[in-house]
Amino acid sequence: MFCNQCEQTAGGHACTKAGVCGKKEDLAGLQDLLIHALEGLALFAREGRRLGIVDTAADRFTVEAIFSTLTNVDFDPERFVELIHKAVEHREALKQQIAAKGGKTDFPEPQAGFQPQGTTADMAKTGADLKLLETLDTDENIRSLKQTLLFGLKGICAYADHAAILGQSDPEIAGFCYESLCALMARGLSVSQCVDAAMQAGRINLRAMELLDAANTGTYGHPQPTAVPLGHRKNKCILISGHDLRDLELLLEQSAGKGIDIYTHGEMLPTHGYPKLKKYPHFYGHYGTAWQNQQKEMPAFPGAILFTTNCLQKPGADYTDRLFTTGLVGWPGVKHIGPDKDFSPVIEAALAAPGFSEDLDKGSVLVGFARNAVLGVADKVIAGVKSGAIRHFFLVGGCDGAKPGRNYYTRLVELVPKDCVVLTLACGKFRFFDKQLGEIDGIPRLLDVGQCNDAYSAIQIALALAKAFSCDVNELPLSMILSWYEQKAVAILLTLLFLGVKDIRLGPSLPAFITPAVLQVLVDNFAIKPIAASPEEDLKAILG
């Protein structure tokens, strides 16, 4: 195997024997084979669009299938075998429609005629033999940019899938998926063509995040500032992790009146701010921190556990029997809730578990400072900047992870001067989410914008402030200091670059798939830079 799509990749180069995430060699081969099969589907879907043929079922499948290959989503080999076969079925169905209209069906690429054969092990070997990433191009810089495109595409599909679940979609997104998959197969592309494709990925991701924002706020209302308990109360309990708001709503509906409290984990924390979800009295508090600590924290949770999207790790034997997955996330042998979303087994497991035996007060944290809440006090924010009460804004967000060096973000937030405001989003916040930073003229100094899925809110806040001050975003007293782990962070970074945002500091390490030459392009055009060896050094450079 060869996988370098996440920040924690082995040795800062690539995982070649087993993934740091827990992905085994056979699974890596099957994921690569799925991308191979999707490339074949893309050839026909692109030709179909030229003829006015848009297969919405194939579009929806493509987004889900690409998302399933994102880090920490699906670890079940048999489900990938099923996806590979479905990709070929969709391809052949499109081929028939195209042939009926006299379109092109004789593509020379091997992906166009690929047929999955043999056992799961045979297919895994076929995928491994493709050497998908190593053979994207003979030129290392083109290969680097194609990887950036592919990994950004995985992030785009994650956001697009979340939005589609709540009824928001745009055929342009699937169309871009097909164009990108075809670009991965193309030979002879120039660096400028690949850079343009990456920038287009940033544009499409902005659209996907816009759809997701509309889906979440249109369905559940705009988040409101809300105090979320970090302790627990005596009762039966269910812990829900991931990102999917619809799954959370269904779980709340089905568990209502059954003597069970629902706790969030990881990136589900910001969901406490949504009005339509807050109405459930048994939606109680938050348990635990970021995704990489689940093997330490979940054994002590005395109830059932449900994973809804990515961020799953290999479950420990001491909680596997009360662990459930749903949607695209999965692990071999773990009970999976199908598309009917009947969470009865989760509820039954919670009722059979001991639950919390006593009340425990561990304080609370504030969530719900998405764009509507922040812009609702924009006049106070603007007045604070003009008066000098607010000197600078720091957007400190992104993914958390287990790799050493991430304590930089904790120290940074602790050291940020008291006349500065910190905005944060995604699970990187768990390095400092419970810090008591106080207020500036009634405005909390630590503002939780939401999930990584809510990056659109942070972007809109920045754009609105720029408009209010009649300046460019890069002229605002705002610094972005980001942490990354997986491919959604790649997609967000591409969106920021598409918007022309400069001087982004990225850490804890730069992507292994970025070559020195490609990095230089980013430095020359966007002044992107790695975080410094210490937060003190970066704060001095930013604030003087």
Side-chain angles (χ1 to χ4, degrees):
M1 67 180 285
F2 183 95
C3 183
N4 61 1
Q5 68 179 15
C6 85
E7 191 270 337
Q8 293 183 180
T9 194
H13 173 63
C15 294
T16 56
K17 295 182 178 179
V20 173
C21 65
K23 178 168 61 177
K24 295 182 179 179
E25 189 173 10
D26 63 338
L27 189 72
L30 289 167
Q31 289 186 350
D32 286 353
L33 191 60
L34 176 57
I35 296 296
H36 183 77
L38 290 169
E39 288 174 338
L41 171 58
L43 289 167
F44 290 92
R46 185 175 64 171
E47 173 68 5
R49 273 169 152 70
R50 188 183 69 81
L51 299 171
I53 300 169
V54 177
D55 187 329
T56 55
D59 290 356
R60 186 75 186 92
F61 167 80
T62 297
V63 168
E64 288 185 337
I66 294 174
F67 179 18
S68 71
T69 68
L70 187 143
T71 302
N72 290 81
V73 177
D74 193 351
F75 294 85
D76 190 339
E78 297 306 322
R79 289 173 64 180
F80 279 98
V81 170
E82 181 180 349
L83 288 171
I84 291 165
H85 281 285
K86 282 185 177 180
V88 172
E89 290 171 8
H90 281 294
R91 184 195 75 202
E92 292 302 303
L94 270 168
K95 183 177 180 179
Q96 290 182 13
Q97 295 180 64
I98 292 166
K101 281 200 169 186
K104 179 179 174 64
T105 59
D106 57 340
F107 297 100
E109 291 86 352
Q111 291 92 329
F114 163 70
Q115 292 292 337
Q117 296 179 346
T119 64
T120 299
D122 293 333
M123 291 172 64
K125 184 179 185 306
T126 300
D129 290 344
L130 291 172
K131 298 188 181 301
L132 179 73
L133 297 182
E134 301 103 309
T135 58
L136 284 173
D137 204 275
T138 55
D139 183 294
E140 67 171 1
N141 297 316
I142 301 297
R143 189 164 62 247
S144 172
L145 288 164
K146 283 188 173 183
Q147 284 187 261
T148 304
L149 176 61
L150 173 59
F151 300 155
L153 188 63
K154 293 185 180 189
I156 291 168
C157 288
Y159 296 129
D161 181 64
H162 290 312
I165 287 170
L166 292 174
Q168 291 283 343
S169 62
D170 184 337
E172 185 183 16
I173 294 174
F176 180 77
C177 290
Y178 300 134
E179 292 292 341
S180 298
L181 290 167
C182 289
L184 296 179
M185 293 181 280
R187 294 293 178 261
L189 296 181
S190 66
V191 168
S192 62
Q193 286 176 310
C194 291
V195 169
D196 288 345
M199 291 302 98
Q200 285 303 305
R203 180 182 70 84
I204 292 295
N205 186 59
L206 181 63
R207 176 58 177 152
M209 291 193 299
E210 179 185 29
L211 289 170
L212 179 55
D213 180 85
N216 286 342
T217 59
T219 306
Y220 302 108
H222 284 277
Q224 302 167 346
T226 303
V228 183
L230 296 178
H232 52 74
R233 62 188 180 189
K234 183 178 180 180
N235 206 4
K236 302 291 185 177
C237 50
I238 295 173
L239 186 65
I240 183 168
S241 191
H243 307 78
D244 198 287
L245 272 62
R246 178 59 176 157
D247 285 336
L248 172 58
E249 180 187 29
L250 292 172
L251 180 65
L252 287 167
E253 286 178 356
Q254 295 176 33
S255 60
K258 290 183 166 57
I260 300 172
D261 286 330
I262 306 299
Y263 293 79
T264 53
H265 172 267
E267 290 229 56
M268 279 292 193
L269 169 61
T271 61
H272 287 273
Y274 285 94
K276 191 173 178 181
L277 300 176
K278 288 172 61 174
K279 70 179 184 179
Y280 292 93
H282 64 303
F283 189 28
Y284 180 66
H286 185 79
Y287 177 92
T289 52
W291 67 271
Q292 77 276 3
N293 299 320
Q294 62 193 261
Q295 294 168 330
K296 299 176 183 177
E297 296 170 345
M298 289 184 176
F301 186 78
I305 303 166
L306 175 65
F307 269 87
T308 65
T309 53
N310 59 310
C311 300
L312 177 65
Q313 283 186 309
K314 180 181 180 179
D318 42 4
Y319 62 93
T320 300
D321 62 334
R322 48 195 173 86
L323 178 66
F324 299 83
T325 60
T326 193
L328 297 179
V329 69
W331 190 278
V334 170
K335 296 174 286 294
H336 189 77
I337 305 298
D340 63 350
K341 299 296 181 180
D342 180 0
F343 292 123
S344 298
V346 184
I347 294 168
E348 291 167 5
L351 292 172
F356 288 111
S357 59
E358 59 184 5
D359 295 344
L360 177 64
D361 184 359
K362 295 178 65 177
S364 63
V365 293
L366 275 174
V367 302
F369 292 98
R371 60 183 171 87
N372 205 53
V374 174
L375 296 180
V377 294
D379 55 339
K380 294 180 67 175
V381 173
I382 293 166
V385 173
K386 289 182 175 179
S387 70
I390 300 175
R391 178 168 39 148
H392 205 83
F393 295 92
F394 289 86
L395 175 58
V396 187
C399 315
D400 203 2
K403 192 174 179 180
R406 291 180 181 267
N407 60 327
Y408 163 97
Y409 297 94
T410 309
R411 289 289 297 141
L412 175 76
V413 170
E414 291 174 340
L415 292 168
V416 165
K418 293 184 179 180
D419 57 357
C420 299
V421 173
V422 176
L423 294 93
T424 188
L425 75 163
C427 64
K429 71 168 72 76
F430 288 108
R431 294 282 167 171
F432 49 80
F433 79 123
D434 55 353
K435 301 292 180 184
Q436 301 301 314
L437 301 186
E439 299 180 344
I440 299 176
D441 295 337
I443 300 170
R445 288 188 55 233
L446 181 60
L447 300 174
D448 186 345
V449 179
Q451 301 178 334
C452 67
N453 293 12
D454 297 312
Y456 182 80
S457 258
I459 290 170
Q460 293 306 308
I461 290 170
L463 293 176
L465 289 175
K467 182 178 180 180
F469 286 107
S470 300
C471 69
D472 183 82
V473 169
N474 294 308
E475 297 172 321
L476 286 171
L478 168 68
S479 297
M480 296 189 181
I481 305 178
L482 308 180
S483 56
W484 80 284
Y485 171 68
E486 40 89 331
Q487 298 82 66
K488 285 189 285 184
V490 176
I492 292 172
L493 180 61
L494 291 176
T495 293
L496 293 173
L497 299 182
F498 165 74
L499 292 170
V501 177
K502 297 184 177 181
D503 293 309
I504 297 170
R505 285 169 166 81
L506 184 65
S509 62
L510 295 177
F513 52 86
I514 297 293
T515 63
V518 172
L519 177 60
Q520 193 60 50
V521 171
L522 296 177
V523 171
D524 292 342
N525 289 281
F526 304 102
I528 195 168
K529 53 183 68 69
I531 58 172
S534 70
E536 289 90 344
E537 187 178 339
D538 276 334
L539 285 171
K540 183 177 180 181
I542 293 167
L543 298 175

